[in-house]
Amino acid sequence: MTEPAFIPFARPDIGQAEIDAVGRALRSGWVTTGPETRAFEQELAAFLAGGSASAGAGADLHAIAVNSATAGLHLALEAAGVGPGDEVIAPTLTFTATVEVARYLGADAALVDVDPVTLNIDPARIEAAITPRTKAILPVHYGGLACDMVAIHAIAARHGLRVVEDAAHALSATWRGSQIGTLASSATVFSFYANKTMTTGEGGMAVTRDAALAQRMRVMRLHGISRDAFERFQSRTPAWYYEIIAPGFKYNMTDVAAALGRVQLARLPGFAQRRRELAARYHAALTGLPLILPADAPPGDVHAWHLYVIRLADEARVTRDAVIQALSDAGIGASVHYVPLHRQPYWRDCYGLRPEQFPVADRAYQRMVSIPLFTAMSEAEQDRVIAALRAVLR
Ligand SMILES: *Cc1c(COP(=O)(O)O)cnc(C)c1O
């Protein structure tokens, strides 16, 4: 008997159209930031605008393509004026990229606990963490479920704080009918890392409605140069002349990545639909097991389903590690999102953090497993995951 094929936790969905587009970009003679990147930025802004309930929500959207979401978060905080001594408030249940960028700028991260139902940052905890040094709130739309942005924007307005959304999981998610990326935050940052809801290999996009922030991010994306290479190439003024107006970064997206991204973006509605179908199938099949299933979006809103995170309920008689081992024995990949930052040596020791300060995230962490969810997953593959979970949890 042959072993059934290994089912990974995630797998990018790349077809011939992506391969053709990358080939065209390579043959075009302009492989770095250029026409493909411009088009990708415009198409992403149009996608966000088109998917929003409020008329004209995206008309003034600026999209800045970068080589990772981490770069985009760094640019967004820099442009928002976060600097030495400032504090940014973020959830502990996230990837380190959310807050490492604050440290790049000499600022501090104030980590807070999450809501037990959504696992998103708890607005009440944000309020309690505000100090005179607080400059920004960094909500993370965990797993692709939008945070309570009404509550977060209200707190930000009351205290004069910036909001920068870490939307690494949330491209195609909505909040109160509007696409994440079109809300009244300073900036929103998407990731196109290999396992996200669409990919450019590595890449990200910062989106803002603030023209001044957009301009600053564009300049800082490429060495602090006042005009990028493609602009100079196209312009009537001499192409060799440029001005350095700040010590910027090297965060631009290549046209090779953007060409891949444009095809992925065109397929995104289909990807999102497939993720919703797979999540609904998991919901139906796993109900009744000793599990806490991930919260769906509120009625009328859309969950991006980057992750499907199950948590062991009190009645479960197995440990999280035993579940992951059983899945592994059945040829199924799983993961944990995340070892909360308060348990990571750097963050723990930087701020003297203890698990008791984050009871919800800490308990969730002990009991959580991210199970396979990717667009190319077949129902037969999903049924194998379901059967393996039933066997270990029965
Ligand atoms: C993936 C991820 C990032 C970083 O994205 P990159 O594009 O890999 O830099 C940031 N925040 C969260 C929550 C993520 O999951």
Side-chain angles (χ1 to χ4, degrees):
M1 226 181 86
T2 56
E3 292 262 313
F6 179 73
I7 302 172
F9 147 72
R11 184 198 290 144
D13 191 337
I14 306 281
Q16 191 59 44
E18 282 88 342
I19 293 167
D20 292 345
V22 166
R24 278 196 301 276
L26 290 173
R27 285 189 296 268
S28 73
W30 196 273
V31 290
T32 186
T33 312
E36 292 285 347
T37 307
R38 290 281 170 87
F40 184 37
E41 290 175 340
Q42 283 159 8
E43 287 161 9
L44 190 104
F47 167 82
L48 295 175
S52 277
S54 39
D60 51 352
L61 270 187
H62 306 267
I64 295 106
V66 284
N67 57 16
S68 72
T70 308
L73 289 163
H74 185 195
L75 290 179
L77 291 190
E78 196 276 341
V82 172
D86 291 337
E87 287 173 357
V88 303
I89 297 175
T92 184
L93 195 65
T94 188
F95 185 57
T96 192
T98 309
V99 280
E100 72 188 22
V101 295
R103 302 294 294 141
Y104 298 177
L105 295 163
D108 284 301
L111 298 172
V112 302
D113 208 354
V114 296
D115 176 87
V117 175
T118 63
L119 300 182
N120 276 328
I121 192 165
D122 182 343
R125 303 279 178 167
I126 295 175
E127 194 98 60
I130 291 172
T131 76
R133 293 167 57 200
T134 307
K135 185 85 180 198
I137 307 171
L138 270 81
V140 178
H141 307 296
Y142 179 83
L145 176 63
C147 294
D148 182 346
M149 294 309 297
V150 167
I152 291 168
H153 283 145
I155 294 167
R158 258 200 311 282
H159 298 272
L161 305 176
R162 298 282 201 167
V163 176
V164 172
E165 296 173 55
D166 179 341
H169 301 178
L171 183 58
S172 81
T174 68
W175 168 252
R176 303 257 166 113
S178 289
Q179 286 281 326
I180 292 299
T182 64
L183 307 179
S185 300
S186 289
T188 301
V189 181
F190 298 104
S191 173
F192 309 128
Y193 182 68
N195 69 8
K196 298 289 162 62
T197 54
M198 58 164 271
T199 188
T200 61
E202 298 280 357
M205 191 81 76
V207 176
T208 181
R209 302 166 82 169
D210 180 325
L213 276 185
Q215 179 57 23
R216 178 70 181 178
M217 289 195 280
R218 280 192 199 287
V219 166
M220 295 307 280
R221 165 176 70 173
L222 194 68
H223 301 297
I225 295 175
S226 58
R227 297 194 296 164
D228 74 25
F230 186 62
E231 208 178 307
R232 284 190 277 127
F233 175 77
Q234 283 190 316
S235 160
R236 285 165 169 278
T237 51
W240 59 266
Y241 187 74
Y242 60 85
E243 290 181 346
I244 303 296
I245 56 175
F249 310 105
K250 186 68 200 285
Y251 282 167
N252 54 308
M253 176 178 277
T254 68
D255 262 21
V256 179
L260 171 51
R262 293 178 68 194
V263 179
Q264 290 269 295
L265 181 61
R267 297 177 65 196
L268 186 65
F271 287 165
Q273 172 67 24
R274 182 65 187 147
R275 285 183 177 276
R276 289 197 293 276
E277 284 165 13
L278 289 165
R281 259 185 118 245
Y282 270 143
H283 265 47
L286 300 178
T287 297
L289 292 175
L291 293 173
I292 301 168
L293 299 180
D296 205 341
D301 270 316
V302 177
H303 194 312
W305 291 114
H306 163 54
L307 300 175
Y308 193 92
V309 179
I310 58 173
R311 281 179 279 167
L312 297 172
D314 287 341
E315 318 86 80
R317 285 194 296 268
V318 284
T319 64
R320 184 268 313 277
D321 293 352
V323 172
I324 292 178
Q325 187 58 52
L327 290 171
S328 171
D329 292 345
I332 297 163
S335 194
V336 172
H337 294 91
Y338 295 90
V339 178
L341 296 181
H342 66 260
R343 282 186 174 265
Q344 293 291 4
Y346 173 73
W347 297 108
R348 180 195 62 205
D349 298 345
C350 200
Y351 300 120
L353 304 175
R354 288 168 289 105
E356 311 84 78
Q357 295 170 274
F358 309 92
V360 178
D362 207 70
R363 183 180 163 77
Y365 160 62
Q366 314 274 356
R367 298 170 158 266
M368 64 169 41
V369 184
S370 301
I371 60 176
L373 183 69
F374 49 92
T375 52
M377 187 180 200
S378 69
E379 295 194 349
E381 286 177 315
Q382 191 178 30
D383 288 342
R384 266 179 58 203
V385 178
I386 292 163
L389 284 171
R390 286 211 178 110
V392 68
L393 290 166
R394 210 173 25 225

